[in-house]
Each structure stands twice: as structure tokens, then as C-alpha cells.
Amino acid sequence: MDDFLEPKKRKSKHIFRLYRRVFTLTFAVAVLLQVVSFTQVQLKDYFTRLDNEFKVILTVDPEVKTEDLTQMGESLSAKEDIMEVKLFSPADALAALQKKNPQLTEALLLMGRNKMPAYFELKLNYKAVNNIGPFVDNLAAEYQGLSPKYSPQHARTIFLVGLCLRIVNMAMVFALLLLVFFMFLVEAYPASARHMGAGVFSGVLAAAASLVFIAALVYPSGYLLPALNSFTSVGRQAALFVLCGLMGWTLTKWQKF
């Protein structure tokens, strides 16, 4: 009778036995991390390209003397928020336009406009781009012979993409810190090596399944390898496998699955 009333102890499952609940939970997290990885990589790429392409153009008025241009260039280069200054002469400006848009250059030459104004091309840091309106107004007030031209929409897009990238990065770091903190909280929980080994196996298998799932979503586009290379890397996938393995280990030490 006593043997019947005494609860039976569950034996730890085999190390290669899959814990379905651990796998399902870790798989859901792994899929979300794959999507976050894609977003993070693409946002960084977009931000870099947008930031490199954004320039402020200061066209030189005809009354400005040629010998004053060197002094203006040195003064602009000395400003903290200006990273790079390039001076284009009228011939250089026409050659640059010819390289970017040959058809437009040909149309200008047919109209008899074979001379373009000299201009300065400014590369700004991220802080100045975020405050582009007042920054350009100050330049126009300080340099009377220069007329600033830029794209407010381009600057706005750089600000928004940079903000999204920063939020994603901070959220990822915060989530990882919480996971590490949770692992320390369950460190004192007793668990057998086989039980935790099965949890690690379930987590790693979930990471592999998430990669297959993402590949299955990308495959119909016909650009599987280029698409995978554009949002992930071997290092990122290795880190994800390690993270999912640690998550499986933590879950199985916290609860008996």
C-alpha cells in the first residue's frame, strides 16, 4: 500500500531525446532572432549607404574671387561637424556631372551651358545631419558668397534609419543581458547532466530549424544564397546556435520538461 501511495520518481530522459516543449519555445525565439538579425544587418547597410551618399553642396557665387576659395575651404575643414570638404572647379563640376549623368551633361552642352559654377562638397557627421536645418542656415549666414543646397528628405531618412538601428541594437543587448541574468537565477536549481544535455540538444536543434525555416521563406525568390548572405553570416549563426543551446539548458534546469 505504501509503495502504491508513494509517488514515482521520473527518470531523466536520454540525452538525445527531444524535449518538445523546450524545442517549441526555443524555436519561436530563434525565428524572432533570425528576423531581428535580418533587420539589423539591412538597417546597418541602408544607414551606411545613405550616410555616405548624403552631401551638402555650397555653390560659389560669381562675385567670389578665386583666391578666396582656398581660405573658405580651410575654414570649412576646421569646423567640428564637417568631416570632409572637397572643392570642385567649374571644369571639375562638369566632369563630375558627366560621370553621374551623361545625358543631362549633353543636354546642357547643347543649350550652350558649358560652364558650371564652382562648389564645395561637404561630408557631415551624424550629429550635424540630425540638425541639418539650423546647421545649413548658420553656414549660409557665415559664408555670404556660398549658397547651400541639400536634400531635407535624405537627411530625414538618415535620421530615422539611424534611430531604428540604435533601438534594435539596444533592445538586443538588453534582451541578452536579461537572458544572462535569468541563467544566474536558475544556476542553483538541481538537474542531472543527461537532463540538461537533452535541453541543449533541443535548443540547438531549434536554432537549426529556424535557419531552415528562414531559408524556406527565401527560397521561392530564387536568390537563396545571396539573400542569406545579405542578412546573416557564419558568425551570427554560430552565436545563435550557442544562444539557443544555452536557452535550452536554462529552461530544462528551471523546469522538468
Side-chain angles (χ1 to χ4, degrees):
M1 186 67 178
D2 294 337
D3 295 338
F4 178 78
L5 295 177
E6 184 179 355
K8 295 182 179 180
K9 296 181 179 180
R10 292 192 303 173
K11 295 182 180 180
S12 298
K13 296 181 180 179
H14 194 270
I15 186 171
F16 291 112
R17 180 76 176 272
L18 175 66
Y19 288 132
R20 290 174 295 179
R21 282 177 287 184
V22 174
F23 172 83
T24 303
L25 181 59
T26 309
F27 176 65
V29 174
V31 170
L32 292 177
L33 289 177
Q34 294 282 12
V35 175
V36 171
S37 174
F38 172 81
T39 304
Q40 187 181 38
V41 172
Q42 289 302 310
L43 283 176
K44 185 177 180 180
D45 180 59
Y46 293 155
F47 175 78
T48 301
R49 286 189 289 174
L50 288 170
D51 187 55
N52 291 336
E53 293 173 358
F54 181 78
K55 302 290 190 302
V56 172
I57 303 300
L58 301 176
T59 58
V60 181
D61 295 342
E63 59 269 15
V64 177
K65 297 180 180 180
T66 305
E67 53 269 21
D68 294 336
L69 295 179
T70 302
Q71 184 179 358
M72 287 183 176
E74 293 176 353
S75 176
L76 290 168
S77 300
K79 294 187 177 299
E80 180 181 358
D81 294 328
I82 299 179
M83 301 174 60
E84 185 180 9
V85 178
K86 291 182 180 180
L87 174 60
F88 290 82
S89 66
D92 294 334
L94 187 63
L97 182 62
Q98 171 71 28
K99 184 177 180 180
K100 292 182 179 179
N101 196 329
Q103 295 180 348
L104 178 59
T105 305
E106 184 178 353
L108 290 175
L109 293 176
L110 290 175
M111 294 172 61
R113 299 179 181 180
N114 57 354
K115 187 175 181 180
M116 297 183 64
Y119 66 89
F120 288 97
E121 184 181 86
L122 309 183
K123 178 72 175 67
L124 309 180
N125 60 19
Y126 183 63
K127 178 181 177 182
V129 174
N130 292 347
N131 195 35
I132 190 63
F135 181 83
V136 171
D137 292 341
N138 292 336
L139 287 180
E142 183 177 354
Y143 300 93
Q144 298 295 331
L146 302 180
S147 302
K149 294 177 176 56
Y150 68 99
S151 172
Q153 294 81 8
H154 194 159
R156 176 70 174 173
T157 303
I158 293 176
F159 167 74
L160 292 177
V161 174
L163 177 63
C164 292
L165 179 61
R166 186 162 59 250
I167 291 175
V168 170
N169 290 338
M170 293 177 63
M172 283 288 293
V173 172
F174 182 70
L176 291 176
L177 289 177
L178 285 180
L179 178 60
V180 172
F181 178 69
F182 180 69
M183 290 174 60
F184 277 106
L185 289 180
V186 301
E187 177 64 26
Y189 280 59
S192 65
R194 288 186 176 181
H195 185 65
M196 291 188 298
V200 172
F201 173 75
S202 301
V204 171
L205 189 61
S210 70
L211 180 59
V212 173
F213 176 76
I214 294 296
L217 293 180
V218 175
Y219 182 75
S221 67
Y223 300 96
L224 179 58
L225 290 180
L228 291 178
N229 291 331
S230 67
F231 85 87
T232 189
S233 63
V234 175
R236 283 177 174 265
Q237 291 302 316
L240 179 64
F241 273 66
V242 172
L243 181 64
C244 289
L246 290 175
M247 186 176 178
W249 176 85
T250 304
L251 291 174
T252 50
K253 194 169 187 182
W254 176 46
Q255 294 288 338
K256 299 296 183 182
F257 287 91

